[in-house]
Amino acid sequence: SYLQVINIILFFIAGILIFSQITGKSVWAFFTAMGALSAILLLVFKDTIMGFVASIQVTTNDMVRIGDWIEMPKYGADGDVIAITLNTVKVQNFDKTIITIPTYALIADSFKNWRGMQESGGRRMKRSICLKISSVRFLTDEDVERYKKISLVEEYLTKRKADIDAFNRSTGADKSVLINGRNFTNIGVFRQYIVAYLNSNDDVHKDMTMMVRQLAPAETGLPMEIYAFTKTVEWGAYESVMADIFDHIMVAATYFDLEIFETPTGGDIRRMGAAGQALLPQHNQEASE
């Protein structure tokens, strides 16, 4: 963009000198005449001037470089910057289309630059699985012993159970009713399992934020969100790592007596209707008796 500005200036100076030679008038006389045309020139070269100022700001603030992945929904841009000129920025989208954005739009409008993510060495996973609230429950001692066979939570359960039993004895909690005192829940143990699984996964970045949290319950169940970073920032590898993690977690939920929420499909409704129809003859027979 700076070379383009220099070319414009050189052409402008050359034009003045040529005009001076042809007309026999001094350069200063030309500038005097140009004063009256300055408003028209500003209007004609408006985009060039705005682009020049914007390119200076973009370069000074290091906002965009060639090769950066940027998102600018207003212009339909989501891809890599392949060229920055005085007036335009060219972005090659991931579908291989090319979007041309005015340079000054990078200053006037908001856009997302993924360079920070690429330079950090980690890419964020922020995805939830929704669990059926009806499957959440307290654990009995038999449940705890069964869960201890799962190696990633065995140590946690052993240590935590000793603390819970000591507290319940000190408070005299009546454990004939399970709700009294402190207790394990299957969803709490499952959460600890996910944390242990992420810590044991070599593809998860251990030096960045990593947590498993519950979100607010909704009509789709209780969301369990995994917030962590992968060690790879390459798109394909990142999607593969995240898919492997959630494949495992969704299957693992059944080992903790939890169910993944799923909206009933047409097939589910038809099966329920068929089951209801099968019960009607028996119900009618009982009613007649």
Side-chain angles (χ1 to χ4, degrees):
S1 59
Y2 293 113
L3 290 176
Q4 290 179 337
V5 171
I6 293 172
N7 286 334
I8 291 173
I9 294 174
L10 290 177
F11 278 116
F12 183 71
I13 293 173
I16 294 174
L17 294 176
I18 292 171
F19 179 83
S20 178
Q21 290 293 326
I22 293 174
T23 61
K25 295 182 179 291
S26 67
V27 174
W28 296 113
F30 178 78
F31 276 112
T32 301
M34 285 292 296
L37 299 175
S38 59
I40 298 175
L41 290 174
L42 288 174
L43 182 63
V44 171
F45 293 102
K46 180 189 71 172
D47 291 339
T48 302
I49 295 171
M50 292 176 66
F52 174 62
V53 174
S55 65
I56 293 176
Q57 291 179 308
V58 166
T59 303
T60 302
N61 297 320
D62 195 22
M63 298 171 64
V64 176
R65 302 175 192 166
I66 292 178
D68 283 355
W69 169 17
I70 67 170
E71 283 186 48
M72 209 167 185
K74 179 178 179 180
Y75 293 91
D78 183 11
D80 298 326
V81 176
I82 59 175
I84 301 176
T85 65
L86 181 64
N87 294 320
T88 60
V89 174
K90 289 185 178 180
V91 178
Q92 185 176 54
N93 290 336
F94 295 120
D95 61 359
K96 301 306 179 183
T97 58
I98 295 177
I99 299 293
T100 302
I101 303 171
T103 305
Y104 60 79
L106 298 177
I107 304 298
D109 298 320
S110 176
F111 69 95
K112 181 188 289 187
N113 191 331
W114 288 83
R115 189 201 315 159
M117 177 274 294
Q118 293 170 331
E119 293 177 347
S120 71
R123 186 165 179 177
R124 186 183 70 175
M125 294 185 295
K126 187 174 181 289
R127 183 179 290 182
S128 303
I129 59 171
C130 292
L131 304 172
K132 282 188 178 180
I133 298 176
S134 60
S135 66
V136 177
R137 61 181 178 83
F138 288 125
L139 298 183
T140 63
D141 290 339
E142 291 76 15
D143 292 326
V144 174
E145 292 304 317
R146 180 161 53 90
Y147 287 178
K148 281 184 180 180
K149 295 180 181 179
I150 302 173
S151 58
L152 287 179
V153 292
E154 180 183 6
E155 182 180 354
Y156 164 77
L157 288 172
T158 302
K159 181 179 179 181
R160 186 62 176 164
K161 189 174 189 309
D163 295 338
I164 290 175
D165 290 343
F167 175 83
N168 289 336
R169 284 194 300 269
S170 66
T171 58
D174 179 10
K175 294 309 293 176
S176 62
V177 180
L178 198 57
I179 195 173
N180 292 332
R182 290 183 179 175
N183 299 279
F184 285 108
T185 61
N186 59 345
I187 194 169
V189 178
F190 181 52
R191 188 172 68 251
Q192 293 297 326
Y193 174 82
I194 298 174
V195 172
Y197 176 74
L198 293 176
N199 278 313
S200 67
N201 193 315
D202 293 334
D203 293 318
V204 176
H205 209 304
K206 308 305 186 299
D207 297 327
M208 293 185 173
T209 303
M210 183 175 64
M211 63 179 173
V212 181
R213 60 176 183 168
Q214 294 180 17
L215 302 181
E219 65 275 5
T220 54
L222 178 63
M224 182 81 76
E225 183 182 80
I226 287 80
Y227 191 106
F229 290 78
T230 63
K231 288 183 178 179
T232 180
V233 299
E234 194 274 319
W235 190 10
Y238 159 79
E239 292 290 349
S240 178
V241 169
M242 186 163 59
D244 287 342
I245 289 173
F246 277 86
D247 288 348
H248 180 88
I249 290 173
M250 284 189 288
V251 175
T254 60
Y255 286 82
F256 295 88
D257 306 311
L258 291 165
E259 296 182 45
I260 305 296
F261 180 87
E262 185 178 24
T263 302
T265 64
D268 296 327
I269 295 172
R270 284 193 295 270
R271 282 192 292 272
M272 287 189 290
Q277 290 293 331
L279 292 174
L280 280 177
Q282 180 181 356
H283 175 74
N284 293 335
Q285 181 178 0
E286 292 174 353
S288 62
E289 292 176 354

